[in-house]
Amino acid sequence: MDGLAPGRGLGDFPTRRPVVVGVDGTEGALRAVEWAAREADRTGRPLLVVRAVLWNARDTGEHPLTAATARARQVAPGLPVRATTLREDPGDALPHAAAHAALLTVGTGGHHGVLADMLRGSVGLAVASRADCPVVVVPETVGEPVGGPGRAPEVVLGVGERDHAAAARFAAEAAVRRGCALRAVAAWQSPPLGVGDVPVDAAEWRLVYRDRAERALDTALGPVTATHPGLTVLRHTEEGNSSHALLTAAERATLLVVGAGREATGRPGPHLGGVARSVLHRARCPVAVVPDTEADAAAGPAAAEAA
């Protein structure tokens, strides 16, 4: 199956970077299709549904691409949709399909299926670490955002010492599109005390590292607050483990955004640190991994113009 679904703007499909979603016939993949279709609709982009198989799979019941395009139409009627099968390993096919995409979306969960197995292991992390566009991993149980008791949903941004400017822009644009607040989280930990023979003042060191986290928030949020003066931005610093702080904040999030730098060796693709790997495995909301390059930021859904 390789064609366009009926809908608006079909002539624009080849000229607009699409939102790409990988499917494998599982319900988890269909959840990812729902998320991707809504995001494509919000950003005025078409949706490309990709199924990757190395062999001629014999499908039982509804064909995975048929089911995926039908689900996309349910959540975003009129959305331009193309569906295609690639004879390639999913770990290779999805980054390749996303080479000219605005966003790559994949799902997790379920007890069977190529993508489900892939995303539970190292190959799933490889997808996020090889794609040159932002990657969103959608858990199987995700629905439309639901905030915690008495709280509206938020977009959560993980802020570290590295300046992940593209991630901050992506998170801010996502919050604006959803009409919700952006919560920026920076965790910090002071080093072990008593290094060598030099006495250490614990309180003083705690202030040093807390101030460092505050400065990281200033760096990340300055440009986006200037660009989006009406956006509600919530700053949060916390002493402790970064992964724990982000996962706690993500319990009331509609989207968790983390940045990914480049390998010092110059290896192609973004480098996923320990925090990104942890939240990809454990977050209960969709997680966006955004490569920290100006080109990626310009090509992503945050860009208002066609790429």
Side-chain angles (χ1 to χ4, degrees):
M1 178 177 181
D2 187 356
L4 287 173
R8 65 180 183 276
L10 297 186
D12 295 336
F13 201 106
T15 65
R16 294 280 288 168
R17 288 180 179 266
V19 172
V20 175
V21 58
V23 300
D24 63 357
T26 63
E27 184 60 30
L30 291 177
R31 288 286 191 179
V33 169
E34 293 176 2
W35 193 95
R38 292 189 182 99
E39 191 67 8
D41 201 42
R42 289 187 185 105
T43 56
R45 294 184 180 276
L47 180 68
L48 175 61
V49 181
V50 175
R51 184 193 188 204
V53 291
L54 284 172
W55 56 89
N56 291 323
R58 180 173 297 177
D59 300 303
T60 59
E62 191 174 18
H63 192 283
L65 294 183
T66 302
T69 53
R71 187 70 65 92
R73 294 190 193 107
Q74 287 176 5
V75 300
L79 177 70
V81 180
R82 175 177 290 157
T84 189
T85 296
L86 300 180
R87 302 299 179 188
E88 196 173 359
D89 181 88
D92 296 323
L94 294 179
H96 292 167
H100 302 290
L103 182 71
L104 170 61
T105 309
V106 289
T108 64
H111 303 288
H112 64 283
V114 176
L115 282 182
D117 291 337
M118 181 181 74
L119 288 164
R120 278 197 294 266
S122 60
V123 181
L125 294 173
V127 172
S129 66
R130 291 176 59 191
D132 287 325
C133 68
V135 175
V136 174
V137 178
V138 180
E140 184 183 21
T141 56
V142 74
E144 277 298 272
V146 177
R151 307 192 69 155
E154 303 166 344
V155 171
V156 173
L157 169 67
V159 176
E161 291 188 0
R162 294 190 60 164
D163 179 16
H164 291 306
R169 287 193 292 269
F170 185 99
E173 290 288 347
V176 168
R177 287 194 298 271
R178 289 161 174 77
C180 67
L182 171 65
R183 179 177 295 273
V185 178
W188 56 275
Q189 290 178 301
S190 55
L193 303 182
V195 179
D197 296 326
V198 181
V200 176
D201 185 315
E204 182 177 338
W205 272 109
R206 291 182 71 253
L207 289 175
V208 168
Y209 279 83
R210 187 193 65 186
D211 290 346
R212 184 178 294 181
E214 291 287 355
R215 289 196 299 272
L217 288 177
D218 290 339
T219 300
L221 297 176
V224 299
T225 53
T227 304
H228 305 287
L231 175 64
T232 298
V233 177
L234 308 172
R235 298 167 59 104
H236 179 76
T237 60
E238 179 177 321
E239 182 176 11
N241 179 270
S242 296
S243 299
H244 180 268
L246 287 177
L247 289 168
T248 300
E251 291 177 358
R252 56 180 175 269
T254 178
L255 180 67
L256 171 59
V257 182
V258 294
R262 295 284 165 175
E263 289 278 19
T265 59
R267 182 185 65 82
H271 169 65
L272 298 184
V275 173
R277 291 171 181 269
S278 177
V279 299
L280 279 171
H281 276 304
R282 298 165 58 194
R284 294 162 58 183
C285 71
V287 177
V289 179
V290 183
D292 195 31
T293 67
E294 291 298 323
D296 291 335
E305 65 277 2

